[in-house]
Amino acid sequence: MPVRYYDKDTTSPISFYLSSLEELLAWTPDVEDSFNVALAPPECRQPPLSSRRPRTLLCHDMMGGYLDDKFIQGSAAQNPYSFYHWQYIDIFVYFSHHTVTIPPVGWTNAAHRHGVCMLGTFITEWQEGGQLCEAFLAGDEHSYRAVADQLVLIAQFFRFDGWLINIENSLSLAAVGNMPHFLQYLTTQLHQQVPGGLVLWYDSVVSSGQLKWQDELNEHNRVFFDSCDGFFTNYNWQEGHLERMQGQAGERQADVYVGVDVFARGNVVGGRFDTNKSLELIRKHGFSAALFAPGWVYECLEKKDFFQNQDKFWSLLARYLPTHSICSLPFVTSFCMGMGARRVCYGQEVAVGPWYHPSAQEIQPLFGEHRLEGDGGGWVKTLSCLADAWNGGSSLLIEGVIPPEVGEVAVRLFSLQVPVPPRVFLSLVYKLEGPSNVRVALELTTGDAGSCHIGGICPLNAETSCRHSPQPLQVPPTKLARWVGRCGQQLSGGWVQRCYEVNLQGCLLGDLLVSFQRPPGSQKEENFVCRLGEIQVVDAKSLLAPLPQVQSISLSHVRWQPAASSASSGEGPPAGLRLSCTLHWSFPLSHVRCFRLHCCPGTGGGPLGRGPLGPEKPKLLGLAFVNQYRIVDLAVATAGPGQGGRVEFLVEPVPREGFLVPQAEWGRAAVQYSMPST
């Protein structure tokens, strides 16, 4: 198996980078690359990235990159880094010092689920970088076009959205003369092949070819800005740089991303927990912001306080970070952060132990603490919590106080901009912690659909917007039974699911809120702690179409190994066999959120050719976001000489609408095996 694509110790598929010009030019799409392909392009969002509103870019640089996030099918990492304030950012750059940094697919899937653009990095550095640039830039257009074509092909194949170009070495006059042509060609080709694609230039080399950071857009580097989609400044700027740049940028101020080093290295404004000072100046002058290495809160502060510190960091910036809205249905989230101390499936624990899988991160809400106006002391706070989950590894914890003079408090979780279909179903799964009798309800705002314009978000005022408390769904249509099967029931673990039906014409779905009302007759201050497990907003029409079947299941790269014996340690008999293989199947990916992979290990010692096993609870192996999954070192029973063994694999599609598919409709493949007679 090619070492580039698989971990050498486990054969688990991994994300990879390219280290040289030769590797870049030699790369062609291969079946092994398929593990690293993103599930879908970015979700529709408002305002679109092409609007003139100043944007927020996050440049993720952490300890060289390709850490636990490189394991495509997840890992057992404890206390990994996680980013979940997606509604505040527009562009995510995965940065490393490898020549061609292809973003690990877990990050791309998480970004796209939130409508965020994902960029890789093309970087050259030091003397070796200068030689690489000479090789493709100092000659004719054929050389630099070949490099650009490969960069476009890689972004197109792996389904990410473009490149940050970072040239950290001086260039000859011939090479720097061709650089604008390279950028123009790369940008044009990317726009043709990758809808919404972006090429950004980092402030390093100037038009003379010198490596000379300017900390601003000016006449020395303007030629590169004019040749691509945007300019990412170096970090040692002061307000005077921003004032000068306004004239240089003209109408493209939003395409200038002013760099902020969160580590606060060098002569910088703000950084660390003072990064808000940087953002205040950047927004004052109308520019976009590029936050470099906000993982500082993870790398430099106590790991045990990571979530608290990350929430603090982003809450300090919130006033300078306009959010974007999701504008497509279905909208389904279990608030899972793609990590946890155990795995839960619809309230049932299916695996125990730490896990980390960025692709499994669900849509994250707005986090923060909100205080009511006045002196009553009412407040609501939202935070992610790994202590319990409905589906995945975490849930959303909402704590708050309803003061005596107020009947309810509400918190906005999501901003949507969705034209309302004729019929919409909503669902809320929650449970109250402790002795509280507050009433929990899902609410939404609506507006006249005519107020939605491409390129901006129109505020919904009192005349065009109102809050609705939808009526509970009493008698669900038969065809929707799977989706509404748990509605109104007390579920395992104390969870409750409430379902609603909405019929609105000519409206736009706006904010999603959860409200908490004091119990009838109560006049005292009410404290509450509520855990949200899932929210769903589904077009009823989508629930009527039949779900495709998992088909054409096959296996490849099969490896059998004897398991290490535990008999010598006195702990029991030999452990049997270990099976590794790659499972492939066919299914239209546009219909699923993911696949859950299960197995029934079976037993050895039976006669060859025996039929299916009796009822046995499947064991969860993991999640897949493409039509293949690598099974690694699965323990199976040894078959005696002349005897047969059997293991069955099951592929469970998880529909985008969020309902459970009956086990009888999962894809299945059985492996029969035997030991040779001696």
PDB file of all heavy atoms in Angstrom, residues 279-311:
ATOM      1  N   LEU A 279      -8.581  43.996  15.761  1.00  0.00           N
ATOM      2  CA  LEU A 279      -9.821  43.959  14.984  1.00  0.00           C
ATOM      3  C   LEU A 279     -10.522  45.309  14.980  1.00  0.00           C
ATOM      4  O   LEU A 279     -11.102  45.725  13.966  1.00  0.00           O
ATOM      5  CB  LEU A 279     -10.750  42.885  15.545  1.00  0.00           C
ATOM      6  CG  LEU A 279     -10.686  41.485  14.913  1.00  0.00           C
ATOM      7  CD1 LEU A 279     -11.206  41.497  13.495  1.00  0.00           C
ATOM      8  CD2 LEU A 279      -9.278  40.916  14.966  1.00  0.00           C
ATOM      9  N   GLU A 280     -10.464  46.021  16.086  1.00  0.00           N
ATOM     10  CA  GLU A 280     -11.122  47.329  16.159  1.00  0.00           C
ATOM     11  C   GLU A 280     -10.558  48.274  15.107  1.00  0.00           C
ATOM     12  O   GLU A 280     -11.309  48.963  14.396  1.00  0.00           O
ATOM     13  CB  GLU A 280     -10.956  47.917  17.556  1.00  0.00           C
ATOM     14  CG  GLU A 280     -11.637  49.265  17.726  1.00  0.00           C
ATOM     15  CD  GLU A 280     -11.457  49.855  19.119  1.00  0.00           C
ATOM     16  OE1 GLU A 280     -10.663  49.300  19.909  1.00  0.00           O
ATOM     17  OE2 GLU A 280     -12.105  50.871  19.421  1.00  0.00           O
ATOM     18  N   LEU A 281      -9.230  48.295  14.967  1.00  0.00           N
ATOM     19  CA  LEU A 281      -8.614  49.184  13.979  1.00  0.00           C
ATOM     20  C   LEU A 281      -8.882  48.708  12.549  1.00  0.00           C
ATOM     21  O   LEU A 281      -9.163  49.511  11.655  1.00  0.00           O
ATOM     22  CB  LEU A 281      -7.109  49.261  14.227  1.00  0.00           C
ATOM     23  CG  LEU A 281      -6.655  50.065  15.454  1.00  0.00           C
ATOM     24  CD1 LEU A 281      -5.140  49.996  15.597  1.00  0.00           C
ATOM     25  CD2 LEU A 281      -7.108  51.518  15.346  1.00  0.00           C
ATOM     26  N   ILE A 282      -8.793  47.413  12.343  1.00  0.00           N
ATOM     27  CA  ILE A 282      -9.003  46.872  10.993  1.00  0.00           C
ATOM     28  C   ILE A 282     -10.408  47.196  10.506  1.00  0.00           C
ATOM     29  O   ILE A 282     -10.614  47.655   9.375  1.00  0.00           O
ATOM     30  CB  ILE A 282      -8.749  45.351  10.993  1.00  0.00           C
ATOM     31  CG1 ILE A 282      -7.269  45.062  11.248  1.00  0.00           C
ATOM     32  CG2 ILE A 282      -9.189  44.731   9.666  1.00  0.00           C
ATOM     33  CD1 ILE A 282      -6.962  43.603  11.536  1.00  0.00           C
ATOM     34  N   ARG A 283     -11.398  46.981  11.351  1.00  0.00           N
ATOM     35  CA  ARG A 283     -12.785  47.250  10.950  1.00  0.00           C
ATOM     36  C   ARG A 283     -13.050  48.753  10.835  1.00  0.00           C
ATOM     37  O   ARG A 283     -13.842  49.182   9.976  1.00  0.00           O
ATOM     38  CB  ARG A 283     -13.751  46.632  11.955  1.00  0.00           C
ATOM     39  CG  ARG A 283     -13.671  45.124  12.084  1.00  0.00           C
ATOM     40  CD  ARG A 283     -13.760  44.390  10.765  1.00  0.00           C
ATOM     41  NE  ARG A 283     -14.023  42.978  10.972  1.00  0.00           N
ATOM     42  CZ  ARG A 283     -13.673  42.019  10.153  1.00  0.00           C
ATOM     43  NH1 ARG A 283     -13.024  42.302   9.025  1.00  0.00           N
ATOM     44  NH2 ARG A 283     -13.964  40.757  10.417  1.00  0.00           N
ATOM     45  N   LYS A 284     -12.386  49.530  11.651  1.00  0.00           N
ATOM     46  CA  LYS A 284     -12.533  50.990  11.572  1.00  0.00           C
ATOM     47  C   LYS A 284     -12.208  51.487  10.171  1.00  0.00           C
ATOM     48  O   LYS A 284     -12.850  52.425   9.656  1.00  0.00           O
ATOM     49  CB  LYS A 284     -11.615  51.652  12.597  1.00  0.00           C
ATOM     50  CG  LYS A 284     -11.535  53.174  12.507  1.00  0.00           C
ATOM     51  CD  LYS A 284     -10.529  53.721  13.509  1.00  0.00           C
ATOM     52  CE  LYS A 284     -10.307  55.219  13.328  1.00  0.00           C
ATOM     53  NZ  LYS A 284      -9.276  55.738  14.279  1.00  0.00           N
ATOM     54  N   HIS A 285     -11.231  50.846   9.538  1.00  0.00           N
ATOM     55  CA  HIS A 285     -10.797  51.291   8.215  1.00  0.00           C
ATOM     56  C   HIS A 285     -11.390  50.450   7.086  1.00  0.00           C
ATOM     57  O   HIS A 285     -11.010  50.622   5.924  1.00  0.00           O
ATOM     58  CB  HIS A 285      -9.273  51.292   8.148  1.00  0.00           C
ATOM     59  CG  HIS A 285      -8.642  52.325   9.046  1.00  0.00           C
ATOM     60  ND1 HIS A 285      -8.566  53.654   8.709  1.00  0.00           N
ATOM     61  CD2 HIS A 285      -8.106  52.224  10.291  1.00  0.00           C
ATOM     62  CE1 HIS A 285      -7.987  54.336   9.687  1.00  0.00           C
ATOM     63  NE2 HIS A 285      -7.700  53.489  10.666  1.00  0.00           N
ATOM     64  N   GLY A 286     -12.306  49.533   7.410  1.00  0.00           N
ATOM     65  CA  GLY A 286     -13.076  48.841   6.380  1.00  0.00           C
ATOM     66  C   GLY A 286     -12.405  47.661   5.728  1.00  0.00           C
ATOM     67  O   GLY A 286     -12.824  47.247   4.632  1.00  0.00           O
ATOM     68  N   PHE A 287     -11.372  47.069   6.362  1.00  0.00           N
ATOM     69  CA  PHE A 287     -10.657  45.954   5.757  1.00  0.00           C
ATOM     70  C   PHE A 287     -11.123  44.610   6.308  1.00  0.00           C
ATOM     71  O   PHE A 287     -11.734  44.531   7.383  1.00  0.00           O
ATOM     72  CB  PHE A 287      -9.151  46.091   5.994  1.00  0.00           C
ATOM     73  CG  PHE A 287      -8.531  47.258   5.290  1.00  0.00           C
ATOM     74  CD1 PHE A 287      -8.071  48.364   6.001  1.00  0.00           C
ATOM     75  CD2 PHE A 287      -8.432  47.274   3.907  1.00  0.00           C
ATOM     76  CE1 PHE A 287      -7.510  49.452   5.353  1.00  0.00           C
ATOM     77  CE2 PHE A 287      -7.875  48.360   3.247  1.00  0.00           C
ATOM     78  CZ  PHE A 287      -7.412  49.452   3.968  1.00  0.00           C
ATOM     79  N   SER A 288     -10.793  43.574   5.573  1.00  0.00           N
ATOM     80  CA  SER A 288     -10.962  42.218   6.078  1.00  0.00           C
ATOM     81  C   SER A 288      -9.826  41.902   7.034  1.00  0.00           C
ATOM     82  O   SER A 288      -8.784  42.572   7.041  1.00  0.00           O
ATOM     83  CB  SER A 288     -10.994  41.216   4.921  1.00  0.00           C
ATOM     84  OG  SER A 288     -12.153  41.390   4.125  1.00  0.00           O
ATOM     85  N   ALA A 289     -10.010  40.857   7.845  1.00  0.00           N
ATOM     86  CA  ALA A 289      -9.008  40.476   8.839  1.00  0.00           C
ATOM     87  C   ALA A 289      -8.550  39.049   8.580  1.00  0.00           C
ATOM     88  O   ALA A 289      -9.348  38.188   8.193  1.00  0.00           O
ATOM     89  CB  ALA A 289      -9.571  40.597  10.252  1.00  0.00           C
ATOM     90  N   ALA A 290      -7.253  38.796   8.812  1.00  0.00           N
ATOM     91  CA  ALA A 290      -6.679  37.456   8.700  1.00  0.00           C
ATOM     92  C   ALA A 290      -6.050  37.106  10.039  1.00  0.00           C
ATOM     93  O   ALA A 290      -4.995  37.637  10.404  1.00  0.00           O
ATOM     94  CB  ALA A 290      -5.637  37.404   7.579  1.00  0.00           C
ATOM     95  N   LEU A 291      -6.702  36.230  10.787  1.00  0.00           N
ATOM     96  CA  LEU A 291      -6.217  35.832  12.113  1.00  0.00           C
ATOM     97  C   LEU A 291      -5.286  34.641  11.958  1.00  0.00           C
ATOM     98  O   LEU A 291      -5.705  33.549  11.574  1.00  0.00           O
ATOM     99  CB  LEU A 291      -7.401  35.466  13.016  1.00  0.00           C
ATOM    100  CG  LEU A 291      -8.434  36.569  13.240  1.00  0.00           C
ATOM    101  CD1 LEU A 291      -9.602  36.049  14.054  1.00  0.00           C
ATOM    102  CD2 LEU A 291      -7.796  37.774  13.922  1.00  0.00           C
ATOM    103  N   PHE A 292      -4.003  34.879  12.253  1.00  0.00           N
ATOM    104  CA  PHE A 292      -2.997  33.835  12.083  1.00  0.00           C
ATOM    105  C   PHE A 292      -2.769  33.120  13.412  1.00  0.00           C
ATOM    106  O   PHE A 292      -2.466  33.740  14.434  1.00  0.00           O
ATOM    107  CB  PHE A 292      -1.680  34.441  11.586  1.00  0.00           C
ATOM    108  CG  PHE A 292      -0.619  33.412  11.293  1.00  0.00           C
ATOM    109  CD1 PHE A 292      -0.663  32.666  10.128  1.00  0.00           C
ATOM    110  CD2 PHE A 292       0.411  33.185  12.190  1.00  0.00           C
ATOM    111  CE1 PHE A 292       0.310  31.718   9.846  1.00  0.00           C
ATOM    112  CE2 PHE A 292       1.394  32.235  11.921  1.00  0.00           C
ATOM    113  CZ  PHE A 292       1.333  31.503  10.754  1.00  0.00           C
ATOM    114  N   ALA A 293      -2.934  31.803  13.397  1.00  0.00           N
ATOM    115  CA  ALA A 293      -2.638  30.919  14.533  1.00  0.00           C
ATOM    116  C   ALA A 293      -3.465  31.222  15.783  1.00  0.00           C
ATOM    117  O   ALA A 293      -2.917  31.381  16.875  1.00  0.00           O
ATOM    118  CB  ALA A 293      -1.147  30.945  14.856  1.00  0.00           C
ATOM    119  N   PRO A 294      -4.796  31.277  15.661  1.00  0.00           N
ATOM    120  CA  PRO A 294      -5.605  31.421  16.878  1.00  0.00           C
ATOM    121  C   PRO A 294      -5.565  30.184  17.765  1.00  0.00           C
ATOM    122  O   PRO A 294      -6.106  30.203  18.871  1.00  0.00           O
ATOM    123  CB  PRO A 294      -7.020  31.687  16.344  1.00  0.00           C
ATOM    124  CG  PRO A 294      -7.020  31.103  14.988  1.00  0.00           C
ATOM    125  CD  PRO A 294      -5.636  31.276  14.452  1.00  0.00           C
ATOM    126  N   GLY A 295      -4.910  29.113  17.284  1.00  0.00           N
ATOM    127  CA  GLY A 295      -4.659  27.963  18.147  1.00  0.00           C
ATOM    128  C   GLY A 295      -3.733  28.280  19.306  1.00  0.00           C
ATOM    129  O   GLY A 295      -3.433  27.393  20.113  1.00  0.00           O
ATOM    130  N   TRP A 296      -3.301  29.523  19.413  1.00  0.00           N
ATOM    131  CA  TRP A 296      -2.524  29.972  20.575  1.00  0.00           C
ATOM    132  C   TRP A 296      -3.201  29.583  21.879  1.00  0.00           C
ATOM    133  O   TRP A 296      -2.541  29.205  22.842  1.00  0.00           O
ATOM    134  CB  TRP A 296      -2.359  31.501  20.501  1.00  0.00           C
ATOM    135  CG  TRP A 296      -1.887  32.123  21.770  1.00  0.00           C
ATOM    136  CD1 TRP A 296      -0.602  32.179  22.233  1.00  0.00           C
ATOM    137  CD2 TRP A 296      -2.695  32.792  22.748  1.00  0.00           C
ATOM    138  NE1 TRP A 296      -0.559  32.836  23.444  1.00  0.00           N
ATOM    139  CE2 TRP A 296      -1.830  33.219  23.778  1.00  0.00           C
ATOM    140  CE3 TRP A 296      -4.051  33.065  22.855  1.00  0.00           C
ATOM    141  CZ2 TRP A 296      -2.299  33.905  24.904  1.00  0.00           C
ATOM    142  CZ3 TRP A 296      -4.523  33.748  23.956  1.00  0.00           C
ATOM    143  CH2 TRP A 296      -3.654  34.161  24.972  1.00  0.00           C
ATOM    144  N   VAL A 297      -4.530  29.650  21.899  1.00  0.00           N
ATOM    145  CA  VAL A 297      -5.241  29.326  23.138  1.00  0.00           C
ATOM    146  C   VAL A 297      -5.054  27.863  23.520  1.00  0.00           C
ATOM    147  O   VAL A 297      -5.184  27.500  24.691  1.00  0.00           O
ATOM    148  CB  VAL A 297      -6.750  29.644  23.027  1.00  0.00           C
ATOM    149  CG1 VAL A 297      -6.972  31.128  22.819  1.00  0.00           C
ATOM    150  CG2 VAL A 297      -7.414  28.847  21.910  1.00  0.00           C
ATOM    151  N   TYR A 298      -4.740  27.030  22.527  1.00  0.00           N
ATOM    152  CA  TYR A 298      -4.511  25.600  22.776  1.00  0.00           C
ATOM    153  C   TYR A 298      -3.041  25.315  23.046  1.00  0.00           C
ATOM    154  O   TYR A 298      -2.686  24.562  23.955  1.00  0.00           O
ATOM    155  CB  TYR A 298      -4.988  24.797  21.569  1.00  0.00           C
ATOM    156  CG  TYR A 298      -4.770  23.304  21.669  1.00  0.00           C
ATOM    157  CD1 TYR A 298      -5.688  22.498  22.333  1.00  0.00           C
ATOM    158  CD2 TYR A 298      -3.659  22.689  21.073  1.00  0.00           C
ATOM    159  CE1 TYR A 298      -5.504  21.118  22.411  1.00  0.00           C
ATOM    160  CE2 TYR A 298      -3.466  21.327  21.148  1.00  0.00           C
ATOM    161  CZ  TYR A 298      -4.388  20.537  21.822  1.00  0.00           C
ATOM    162  OH  TYR A 298      -4.195  19.185  21.893  1.00  0.00           O
ATOM    163  N   GLU A 299      -2.167  25.925  22.250  1.00  0.00           N
ATOM    164  CA  GLU A 299      -0.735  25.627  22.340  1.00  0.00           C
ATOM    165  C   GLU A 299      -0.084  26.204  23.595  1.00  0.00           C
ATOM    166  O   GLU A 299       0.825  25.589  24.160  1.00  0.00           O
ATOM    167  CB  GLU A 299      -0.008  26.173  21.105  1.00  0.00           C
ATOM    168  CG  GLU A 299      -0.326  25.440  19.812  1.00  0.00           C
ATOM    169  CD  GLU A 299       0.610  25.850  18.688  1.00  0.00           C
ATOM    170  OE1 GLU A 299       1.844  25.726  18.871  1.00  0.00           O
ATOM    171  OE2 GLU A 299       0.119  26.308  17.644  1.00  0.00           O
ATOM    172  N   CYS A 300      -0.520  27.368  24.034  1.00  0.00           N
ATOM    173  CA  CYS A 300       0.219  28.098  25.075  1.00  0.00           C
ATOM    174  C   CYS A 300      -0.483  28.161  26.424  1.00  0.00           C
ATOM    175  O   CYS A 300       0.149  28.548  27.415  1.00  0.00           O
ATOM    176  CB  CYS A 300       0.509  29.523  24.595  1.00  0.00           C
ATOM    177  SG  CYS A 300       1.587  29.585  23.146  1.00  0.00           S
ATOM    178  N   LEU A 301      -1.758  27.817  26.472  1.00  0.00           N
ATOM    179  CA  LEU A 301      -2.486  27.874  27.730  1.00  0.00           C
ATOM    180  C   LEU A 301      -2.815  26.462  28.203  1.00  0.00           C
ATOM    181  O   LEU A 301      -2.607  25.487  27.480  1.00  0.00           O
ATOM    182  CB  LEU A 301      -3.761  28.710  27.564  1.00  0.00           C
ATOM    183  CG  LEU A 301      -3.551  30.133  27.018  1.00  0.00           C
ATOM    184  CD1 LEU A 301      -4.882  30.856  26.883  1.00  0.00           C
ATOM    185  CD2 LEU A 301      -2.591  30.926  27.895  1.00  0.00           C
ATOM    186  N   GLU A 302      -3.350  26.349  29.387  1.00  0.00           N
ATOM    187  CA  GLU A 302      -3.632  25.039  29.972  1.00  0.00           C
ATOM    188  C   GLU A 302      -4.659  24.280  29.130  1.00  0.00           C
ATOM    189  O   GLU A 302      -5.730  24.794  28.817  1.00  0.00           O
ATOM    190  CB  GLU A 302      -4.162  25.199  31.395  1.00  0.00           C
ATOM    191  CG  GLU A 302      -3.118  25.658  32.404  1.00  0.00           C
ATOM    192  CD  GLU A 302      -2.138  24.546  32.765  1.00  0.00           C
ATOM    193  OE1 GLU A 302      -2.441  23.365  32.487  1.00  0.00           O
ATOM    194  OE2 GLU A 302      -1.069  24.877  33.311  1.00  0.00           O
ATOM    195  N   LYS A 303      -4.329  23.017  28.792  1.00  0.00           N
ATOM    196  CA  LYS A 303      -5.239  22.202  27.989  1.00  0.00           C
ATOM    197  C   LYS A 303      -6.568  21.986  28.703  1.00  0.00           C
ATOM    198  O   LYS A 303      -7.621  21.923  28.063  1.00  0.00           O
ATOM    199  CB  LYS A 303      -4.598  20.848  27.667  1.00  0.00           C
ATOM    200  CG  LYS A 303      -3.324  20.922  26.834  1.00  0.00           C
ATOM    201  CD  LYS A 303      -3.597  21.376  25.424  1.00  0.00           C
ATOM    202  CE  LYS A 303      -2.368  21.219  24.536  1.00  0.00           C
ATOM    203  NZ  LYS A 303      -1.261  22.120  24.915  1.00  0.00           N
ATOM    204  N   LYS A 304      -6.544  21.872  30.018  1.00  0.00           N
ATOM    205  CA  LYS A 304      -7.785  21.609  30.754  1.00  0.00           C
ATOM    206  C   LYS A 304      -8.752  22.784  30.671  1.00  0.00           C
ATOM    207  O   LYS A 304      -9.958  22.613  30.879  1.00  0.00           O
ATOM    208  CB  LYS A 304      -7.481  21.271  32.213  1.00  0.00           C
ATOM    209  CG  LYS A 304      -6.849  22.404  33.024  1.00  0.00           C
ATOM    210  CD  LYS A 304      -6.545  21.965  34.444  1.00  0.00           C
ATOM    211  CE  LYS A 304      -5.858  23.059  35.242  1.00  0.00           C
ATOM    212  NZ  LYS A 304      -6.691  24.271  35.403  1.00  0.00           N
ATOM    213  N   ASP A 305      -8.236  23.953  30.357  1.00  0.00           N
ATOM    214  CA  ASP A 305      -9.074  25.150  30.252  1.00  0.00           C
ATOM    215  C   ASP A 305      -9.314  25.558  28.801  1.00  0.00           C
ATOM    216  O   ASP A 305      -9.738  26.690  28.529  1.00  0.00           O
ATOM    217  CB  ASP A 305      -8.425  26.322  31.007  1.00  0.00           C
ATOM    218  CG  ASP A 305      -8.242  26.036  32.484  1.00  0.00           C
ATOM    219  OD1 ASP A 305      -9.111  25.365  33.071  1.00  0.00           O
ATOM    220  OD2 ASP A 305      -7.218  26.476  33.044  1.00  0.00           O
ATOM    221  N   PHE A 306      -9.051  24.643  27.859  1.00  0.00           N
ATOM    222  CA  PHE A 306      -9.077  25.025  26.451  1.00  0.00           C
ATOM    223  C   PHE A 306     -10.428  25.596  26.017  1.00  0.00           C
ATOM    224  O   PHE A 306     -10.500  26.669  25.406  1.00  0.00           O
ATOM    225  CB  PHE A 306      -8.711  23.834  25.564  1.00  0.00           C
ATOM    226  CG  PHE A 306      -9.034  24.035  24.113  1.00  0.00           C
ATOM    227  CD1 PHE A 306      -8.433  25.058  23.396  1.00  0.00           C
ATOM    228  CD2 PHE A 306      -9.974  23.238  23.462  1.00  0.00           C
ATOM    229  CE1 PHE A 306      -8.738  25.269  22.056  1.00  0.00           C
ATOM    230  CE2 PHE A 306     -10.286  23.433  22.132  1.00  0.00           C
ATOM    231  CZ  PHE A 306      -9.666  24.451  21.427  1.00  0.00           C
ATOM    232  N   PHE A 307     -11.515  24.900  26.299  1.00  0.00           N
ATOM    233  CA  PHE A 307     -12.816  25.368  25.827  1.00  0.00           C
ATOM    234  C   PHE A 307     -13.170  26.720  26.442  1.00  0.00           C
ATOM    235  O   PHE A 307     -13.690  27.609  25.763  1.00  0.00           O
ATOM    236  CB  PHE A 307     -13.895  24.328  26.134  1.00  0.00           C
ATOM    237  CG  PHE A 307     -13.719  23.056  25.358  1.00  0.00           C
ATOM    238  CD1 PHE A 307     -13.306  21.893  25.982  1.00  0.00           C
ATOM    239  CD2 PHE A 307     -13.941  23.028  23.995  1.00  0.00           C
ATOM    240  CE1 PHE A 307     -13.124  20.727  25.268  1.00  0.00           C
ATOM    241  CE2 PHE A 307     -13.759  21.865  23.262  1.00  0.00           C
ATOM    242  CZ  PHE A 307     -13.348  20.705  23.905  1.00  0.00           C
ATOM    243  N   GLN A 308     -12.874  26.878  27.702  1.00  0.00           N
ATOM    244  CA  GLN A 308     -13.136  28.153  28.367  1.00  0.00           C
ATOM    245  C   GLN A 308     -12.313  29.268  27.738  1.00  0.00           C
ATOM    246  O   GLN A 308     -12.822  30.372  27.476  1.00  0.00           O
ATOM    247  CB  GLN A 308     -12.808  28.030  29.853  1.00  0.00           C
ATOM    248  CG  GLN A 308     -12.994  29.311  30.654  1.00  0.00           C
ATOM    249  CD  GLN A 308     -12.607  29.145  32.116  1.00  0.00           C
ATOM    250  OE1 GLN A 308     -12.515  28.036  32.624  1.00  0.00           O
ATOM    251  NE2 GLN A 308     -12.368  30.258  32.793  1.00  0.00           N
ATOM    252  N   ASN A 309     -11.030  29.003  27.465  1.00  0.00           N
ATOM    253  CA  ASN A 309     -10.161  30.029  26.871  1.00  0.00           C
ATOM    254  C   ASN A 309     -10.553  30.339  25.432  1.00  0.00           C
ATOM    255  O   ASN A 309     -10.502  31.501  25.004  1.00  0.00           O
ATOM    256  CB  ASN A 309      -8.705  29.578  26.950  1.00  0.00           C
ATOM    257  CG  ASN A 309      -8.144  29.656  28.356  1.00  0.00           C
ATOM    258  OD1 ASN A 309      -8.509  30.544  29.124  1.00  0.00           O
ATOM    259  ND2 ASN A 309      -7.270  28.730  28.716  1.00  0.00           N
ATOM    260  N   GLN A 310     -10.922  29.299  24.675  1.00  0.00           N
ATOM    261  CA  GLN A 310     -11.319  29.547  23.289  1.00  0.00           C
ATOM    262  C   GLN A 310     -12.603  30.376  23.235  1.00  0.00           C
ATOM    263  O   GLN A 310     -12.718  31.308  22.431  1.00  0.00           O
ATOM    264  CB  GLN A 310     -11.503  28.228  22.532  1.00  0.00           C
ATOM    265  CG  GLN A 310     -12.047  28.411  21.124  1.00  0.00           C
ATOM    266  CD  GLN A 310     -11.468  27.460  20.113  1.00  0.00           C
ATOM    267  OE1 GLN A 310     -10.369  27.679  19.597  1.00  0.00           O
ATOM    268  NE2 GLN A 310     -12.193  26.403  19.832  1.00  0.00           N
ATOM    269  N   ASP A 311     -13.568  30.042  24.082  1.00  0.00           N
ATOM    270  CA  ASP A 311     -14.799  30.833  24.115  1.00  0.00           C
ATOM    271  C   ASP A 311     -14.515  32.281  24.522  1.00  0.00           C
ATOM    272  O   ASP A 311     -15.103  33.224  23.985  1.00  0.00           O
ATOM    273  CB  ASP A 311     -15.799  30.205  25.083  1.00  0.00           C
ATOM    274  CG  ASP A 311     -16.375  28.895  24.564  1.00  0.00           C
ATOM    275  OD1 ASP A 311     -16.240  28.622  23.357  1.00  0.00           O
ATOM    276  OD2 ASP A 311     -16.957  28.145  25.367  1.00  0.00           O
TER     277      ASP A 311
END
